[in-house]
Short mmCIF file of all heavy atoms in Angstrom, two decimals:
data_model
loop_
_atom_site.label_atom_id
_atom_site.label_comp_id
_atom_site.label_asym_id
_atom_site.label_seq_id
_atom_site.Cartn_x
_atom_site.Cartn_y
_atom_site.Cartn_z
N GLU A 248 0.79 -1.21 0.03
CA GLU A 248 0.02 0.07 -0.06
C GLU A 248 0.86 1.24 0.00
O GLU A 248 1.97 1.37 0.61
CB GLU A 248 -0.85 -0.04 1.21
CG GLU A 248 -1.97 -1.08 1.21
CD GLU A 248 -2.89 -1.02 2.50
OE1 GLU A 248 -2.71 -0.13 3.19
OE2 GLU A 248 -3.69 -2.00 2.55
N GLY A 249 0.43 2.29 -0.67
CA GLY A 249 1.09 3.55 -0.71
C GLY A 249 2.19 3.56 -1.74
O GLY A 249 2.90 4.62 -1.86
N VAL A 250 2.45 2.52 -2.45
CA VAL A 250 3.57 2.47 -3.40
C VAL A 250 2.94 2.36 -4.68
O VAL A 250 2.13 1.51 -5.12
CB VAL A 250 4.53 1.33 -3.20
CG1 VAL A 250 5.64 1.36 -4.21
CG2 VAL A 250 5.02 1.32 -1.74
N LEU A 251 3.28 3.29 -5.62
CA LEU A 251 2.77 3.32 -7.05
C LEU A 251 3.33 2.26 -7.98
O LEU A 251 4.45 2.14 -8.02
CB LEU A 251 2.97 4.77 -7.66
CG LEU A 251 2.41 4.95 -9.03
CD1 LEU A 251 1.02 4.73 -9.11
CD2 LEU A 251 2.94 6.26 -9.60
N SER A 252 2.42 1.50 -8.53
CA SER A 252 2.88 0.34 -9.44
C SER A 252 2.60 0.85 -10.79
O SER A 252 1.49 1.22 -11.16
CB SER A 252 2.17 -0.86 -9.06
OG SER A 252 2.52 -1.86 -9.97
N MET A 253 3.62 0.69 -11.70
CA MET A 253 3.45 1.09 -13.10
C MET A 253 4.26 0.14 -13.95
O MET A 253 5.37 -0.22 -13.57
CB MET A 253 3.71 2.55 -13.34
CG MET A 253 5.15 2.90 -13.00
SD MET A 253 5.40 4.64 -13.28
CE MET A 253 5.10 4.85 -15.08
N PRO A 254 3.80 -0.02 -15.22
CA PRO A 254 4.61 -0.92 -16.08
C PRO A 254 5.87 -0.27 -16.48
O PRO A 254 5.99 0.88 -16.61
CB PRO A 254 3.69 -1.16 -17.24
CG PRO A 254 2.77 0.03 -17.21
CD PRO A 254 2.57 0.35 -15.78
N VAL A 255 6.98 -1.10 -16.71
CA VAL A 255 8.21 -0.53 -17.18
C VAL A 255 8.32 -0.89 -18.70
O VAL A 255 8.02 -2.03 -19.05
CB VAL A 255 9.41 -1.19 -16.37
CG1 VAL A 255 10.72 -0.66 -16.87
CG2 VAL A 255 9.25 -0.94 -14.93
N ARG A 256 8.73 0.15 -19.45
CA ARG A 256 8.79 -0.17 -20.81
C ARG A 256 9.94 -1.12 -21.19
O ARG A 256 10.95 -1.13 -20.57
CB ARG A 256 9.11 1.18 -21.55
CG ARG A 256 8.04 2.23 -21.64
CD ARG A 256 8.43 3.47 -22.31
NE ARG A 256 7.34 4.40 -22.31
CZ ARG A 256 7.50 5.61 -22.90
NH1 ARG A 256 8.54 5.97 -23.56
NH2 ARG A 256 6.49 6.46 -22.80
N PRO A 257 9.64 -1.99 -22.13
CA PRO A 257 10.75 -3.04 -22.45
C PRO A 257 11.99 -2.23 -23.06
O PRO A 257 11.83 -1.24 -23.67
CB PRO A 257 10.08 -4.00 -23.50
CG PRO A 257 8.98 -3.03 -24.07
CD PRO A 257 8.44 -2.26 -22.90
N THR A 258 13.14 -2.83 -22.74
CA THR A 258 14.36 -2.21 -23.15
C THR A 258 14.48 -2.39 -24.68
O THR A 258 14.31 -3.46 -25.20
CB THR A 258 15.66 -2.86 -22.54
OG1 THR A 258 15.44 -2.75 -21.10
CG2 THR A 258 16.88 -2.19 -22.94
N VAL A 259 14.80 -1.28 -25.37
CA VAL A 259 14.96 -1.26 -26.86
C VAL A 259 16.43 -1.60 -27.03
O VAL A 259 17.27 -0.87 -26.53
CB VAL A 259 14.55 -0.01 -27.47
CG1 VAL A 259 14.77 0.06 -28.96
CG2 VAL A 259 13.12 0.29 -27.10
N PRO A 260 16.79 -2.56 -28.00
CA PRO A 260 18.15 -2.86 -28.36
C PRO A 260 18.91 -1.58 -28.77
O PRO A 260 18.32 -0.67 -29.46
CB PRO A 260 18.08 -3.90 -29.49
CG PRO A 260 16.67 -4.52 -29.27
CD PRO A 260 15.81 -3.47 -28.73
N LEU A 261 20.20 -1.54 -28.44
CA LEU A 261 20.97 -0.39 -28.73
C LEU A 261 20.99 -0.14 -30.29
O LEU A 261 20.95 1.04 -30.80
CB LEU A 261 22.42 -0.56 -28.28
CG LEU A 261 23.43 0.57 -28.61
CD1 LEU A 261 22.90 1.84 -27.96
CD2 LEU A 261 24.78 0.19 -28.06
N GLY A 262 21.16 -1.18 -31.06
CA GLY A 262 21.14 -0.99 -32.49
C GLY A 262 19.88 -0.42 -33.01
O GLY A 262 19.90 0.47 -33.88
N ARG A 263 18.73 -0.81 -32.49
CA ARG A 263 17.45 -0.18 -32.90
C ARG A 263 17.37 1.31 -32.51
O ARG A 263 16.92 2.07 -33.28
CB ARG A 263 16.25 -0.90 -32.18
CG ARG A 263 14.94 -0.35 -32.42
CD ARG A 263 14.52 -0.49 -33.86
NE ARG A 263 13.12 0.02 -34.00
CZ ARG A 263 12.58 0.25 -35.18
NH1 ARG A 263 13.34 -0.10 -36.32
NH2 ARG A 263 11.28 0.58 -35.29
N ARG A 264 17.89 1.63 -31.34
CA ARG A 264 17.83 3.00 -30.92
C ARG A 264 18.79 3.92 -31.86
O ARG A 264 18.49 5.02 -32.07
CB ARG A 264 18.23 3.14 -29.45
CG ARG A 264 17.25 2.49 -28.45
CD ARG A 264 17.44 2.92 -27.14
NE ARG A 264 17.15 4.19 -26.81
CZ ARG A 264 17.40 4.96 -25.72
NH1 ARG A 264 17.99 4.39 -24.78
NH2 ARG A 264 17.06 6.19 -25.65
N LEU A 265 19.95 3.34 -32.15
CA LEU A 265 20.92 4.08 -33.03
C LEU A 265 20.24 4.30 -34.42
O LEU A 265 20.33 5.29 -34.98
CB LEU A 265 22.16 3.26 -33.16
CG LEU A 265 23.07 3.30 -31.90
CD1 LEU A 265 24.24 2.39 -32.09
CD2 LEU A 265 23.49 4.69 -31.53
N TYR A 266 19.55 3.21 -34.88
CA TYR A 266 18.90 3.37 -36.17
C TYR A 266 17.86 4.51 -36.18
O TYR A 266 17.67 5.36 -37.03
CB TYR A 266 18.27 2.09 -36.63
CG TYR A 266 17.39 2.16 -37.86
CD1 TYR A 266 18.08 2.04 -39.12
CD2 TYR A 266 16.08 2.26 -37.82
CE1 TYR A 266 17.30 2.17 -40.29
CE2 TYR A 266 15.27 2.35 -39.01
CZ TYR A 266 15.93 2.38 -40.16
OH TYR A 266 15.14 2.47 -41.33
N LEU A 267 16.94 4.44 -35.09
CA LEU A 267 15.92 5.45 -35.00
C LEU A 267 16.45 6.83 -34.81
O LEU A 267 15.95 7.76 -35.31
CB LEU A 267 15.01 5.07 -33.84
CG LEU A 267 14.13 3.93 -34.02
CD1 LEU A 267 13.35 3.58 -32.61
CD2 LEU A 267 13.09 4.14 -35.10
N GLY A 268 17.55 6.97 -34.06
CA GLY A 268 18.20 8.29 -33.88
C GLY A 268 18.75 8.85 -35.21
O GLY A 268 18.55 9.96 -35.50
N ALA A 269 19.36 7.95 -35.96
CA ALA A 269 19.87 8.44 -37.32
C ALA A 269 18.69 8.80 -38.21
O ALA A 269 18.81 9.69 -38.89
CB ALA A 269 20.81 7.27 -37.89
N GLU A 270 17.67 8.03 -38.09
CA GLU A 270 16.50 8.32 -38.97
C GLU A 270 15.82 9.59 -38.59
O GLU A 270 15.51 10.47 -39.45
CB GLU A 270 15.43 7.18 -38.86
CG GLU A 270 14.23 7.37 -39.65
CD GLU A 270 13.14 6.33 -39.39
OE1 GLU A 270 13.30 5.19 -39.91
OE2 GLU A 270 12.25 6.55 -38.58
N PHE A 271 15.74 9.88 -37.27
CA PHE A 271 15.20 11.12 -36.84
C PHE A 271 16.05 12.35 -37.27
O PHE A 271 15.44 13.35 -37.71
CB PHE A 271 15.10 11.07 -35.24
CG PHE A 271 14.61 12.33 -34.64
CD1 PHE A 271 13.23 12.54 -34.51
CD2 PHE A 271 15.47 13.31 -34.24
CE1 PHE A 271 12.75 13.76 -33.95
CE2 PHE A 271 14.97 14.59 -33.65
CZ PHE A 271 13.57 14.73 -33.52
N LEU A 272 17.29 12.23 -37.15
CA LEU A 272 18.18 13.34 -37.55
C LEU A 272 18.12 13.58 -39.06
O LEU A 272 18.15 14.70 -39.51
CB LEU A 272 19.61 13.06 -37.11
CG LEU A 272 19.87 13.07 -35.57
CD1 LEU A 272 21.29 12.71 -35.25
CD2 LEU A 272 19.54 14.51 -35.01
N THR A 273 17.99 12.45 -39.81
CA THR A 273 18.00 12.52 -41.25
C THR A 273 16.70 13.24 -41.72
O THR A 273 16.72 14.16 -42.54
CB THR A 273 18.05 11.19 -41.95
OG1 THR A 273 19.37 10.61 -41.53
CG2 THR A 273 17.96 11.38 -43.37
N LEU A 274 15.58 12.81 -41.16
CA LEU A 274 14.33 13.36 -41.52
C LEU A 274 14.07 14.87 -41.07
O LEU A 274 13.71 15.70 -41.84
CB LEU A 274 13.09 12.45 -41.05
CG LEU A 274 13.08 11.05 -41.65
CD1 LEU A 274 11.95 10.28 -40.98
CD2 LEU A 274 12.82 11.17 -43.21
N HIS A 275 14.32 14.98 -39.80
CA HIS A 275 13.97 16.30 -39.15
C HIS A 275 15.11 17.32 -39.12
O HIS A 275 14.86 18.50 -38.75
CB HIS A 275 13.40 16.05 -37.69
CG HIS A 275 12.20 15.29 -37.71
ND1 HIS A 275 11.00 15.80 -38.06
CD2 HIS A 275 11.88 13.95 -37.31
CE1 HIS A 275 9.94 14.93 -37.97
NE2 HIS A 275 10.47 13.76 -37.53
N GLY A 276 16.34 16.81 -39.46
CA GLY A 276 17.47 17.74 -39.51
C GLY A 276 17.85 17.88 -40.99
O GLY A 276 17.92 18.97 -41.49
N GLY A 277 18.10 16.76 -41.65
CA GLY A 277 18.59 16.78 -43.05
C GLY A 277 17.46 17.34 -43.98
O GLY A 277 17.71 17.98 -44.98
N GLY A 278 16.25 17.04 -43.75
CA GLY A 278 15.11 17.43 -44.63
C GLY A 278 15.08 18.93 -44.83
O GLY A 278 15.07 19.47 -45.86
N PRO A 279 14.90 19.63 -43.70
CA PRO A 279 14.79 21.12 -43.74
C PRO A 279 16.07 21.77 -44.42
O PRO A 279 16.01 22.72 -45.14
CB PRO A 279 14.65 21.65 -42.34
CG PRO A 279 13.99 20.43 -41.62
CD PRO A 279 14.61 19.24 -42.26
N LEU A 280 17.25 21.10 -44.06
CA LEU A 280 18.51 21.71 -44.67
C LEU A 280 18.64 21.49 -46.11
O LEU A 280 19.05 22.38 -46.91
CB LEU A 280 19.72 21.10 -43.98
CG LEU A 280 19.93 21.39 -42.56
CD1 LEU A 280 21.15 20.70 -41.98
CD2 LEU A 280 20.12 22.88 -42.41
N LEU A 281 18.11 20.33 -46.61
CA LEU A 281 18.01 20.05 -48.05
C LEU A 281 17.11 21.01 -48.76
O LEU A 281 17.52 21.57 -49.81
CB LEU A 281 17.55 18.61 -48.27
CG LEU A 281 17.23 18.16 -49.76
CD1 LEU A 281 18.47 18.25 -50.62
CD2 LEU A 281 16.62 16.88 -49.90
N ILE A 282 15.98 21.32 -48.27
CA ILE A 282 15.04 22.19 -48.82
C ILE A 282 15.55 23.63 -48.81
O ILE A 282 15.40 24.39 -49.79
CB ILE A 282 13.68 22.19 -48.10
CG1 ILE A 282 13.03 20.81 -48.27
CG2 ILE A 282 12.70 23.26 -48.58
CD1 ILE A 282 11.75 20.56 -47.36
N LEU A 283 16.22 23.98 -47.71
CA LEU A 283 16.92 25.31 -47.68
C LEU A 283 17.98 25.41 -48.75
O LEU A 283 18.20 26.52 -49.27
CB LEU A 283 17.38 25.51 -46.30
CG LEU A 283 18.04 26.97 -46.00
CD1 LEU A 283 16.94 28.03 -46.19
CD2 LEU A 283 18.53 27.00 -44.56
N PHE A 284 18.62 24.39 -49.00
CA PHE A 284 19.74 24.40 -49.90
C PHE A 284 19.20 24.66 -51.34
O PHE A 284 19.64 25.40 -52.16
CB PHE A 284 20.62 23.16 -49.87
CG PHE A 284 21.75 23.02 -50.90
CD1 PHE A 284 22.88 23.75 -50.75
CD2 PHE A 284 21.53 22.25 -51.97
CE1 PHE A 284 23.84 23.64 -51.69
CE2 PHE A 284 22.56 22.17 -52.90
CZ PHE A 284 23.72 22.88 -52.76
N VAL A 285 18.13 23.83 -51.64
CA VAL A 285 17.53 23.82 -53.04
C VAL A 285 16.72 25.14 -53.19
O VAL A 285 16.70 25.75 -54.24
CB VAL A 285 16.68 22.56 -53.28
CG1 VAL A 285 16.11 22.73 -54.63
CG2 VAL A 285 17.57 21.38 -53.15
N ARG A 286 15.99 25.54 -52.15
CA ARG A 286 15.10 26.70 -52.20
C ARG A 286 14.15 26.67 -53.30
O ARG A 286 14.11 27.60 -54.18
CB ARG A 286 15.96 27.97 -52.20
CG ARG A 286 16.79 28.23 -50.97
CD ARG A 286 17.26 29.61 -50.84
NE ARG A 286 18.25 29.61 -49.75
CZ ARG A 286 18.74 30.75 -49.25
NH1 ARG A 286 18.48 31.89 -49.80
NH2 ARG A 286 19.61 30.73 -48.25
N ARG A 287 13.24 25.64 -53.27
CA ARG A 287 12.12 25.46 -54.25
C ARG A 287 10.83 25.32 -53.57
O ARG A 287 10.77 24.24 -52.79
CB ARG A 287 12.40 24.41 -55.23
CG ARG A 287 13.59 24.59 -56.19
CD ARG A 287 13.34 25.66 -57.24
NE ARG A 287 14.42 25.75 -58.21
CZ ARG A 287 15.49 26.47 -58.07
NH1 ARG A 287 15.60 27.22 -56.98
NH2 ARG A 287 16.39 26.45 -58.98
N ALA A 288 9.90 26.25 -53.68
CA ALA A 288 8.64 26.16 -52.89
C ALA A 288 7.83 24.90 -53.24
O ALA A 288 7.29 24.23 -52.37
CB ALA A 288 7.83 27.33 -53.15
#
């Protein structure tokens, strides 16, 4: 009693996290930079 119980998220493999991190940076970092470089509406 008095202790909060909550599920713990399963651990994501390091390789998967590295892949998602690279994907995130490519899409949300590289995407805007590419459009800014080309400058076509």
Side-chain angles (χ1 to χ4, degrees):
E248 294 184 2
V250 181
L251 178 62
S252 177
M253 61 182 297
V255 179
R256 292 181 181 178
T258 302
V259 179
L261 178 60
R263 174 64 176 171
R264 296 193 69 188
L265 290 174
Y266 174 82
L267 288 174
E270 180 186 279
F271 178 85
L272 291 176
T273 300
L274 292 177
H275 296 290
L280 290 177
L281 172 63
I282 295 172
L283 185 59
F284 177 76
V285 177
R286 298 195 184 188
R287 294 289 185 272

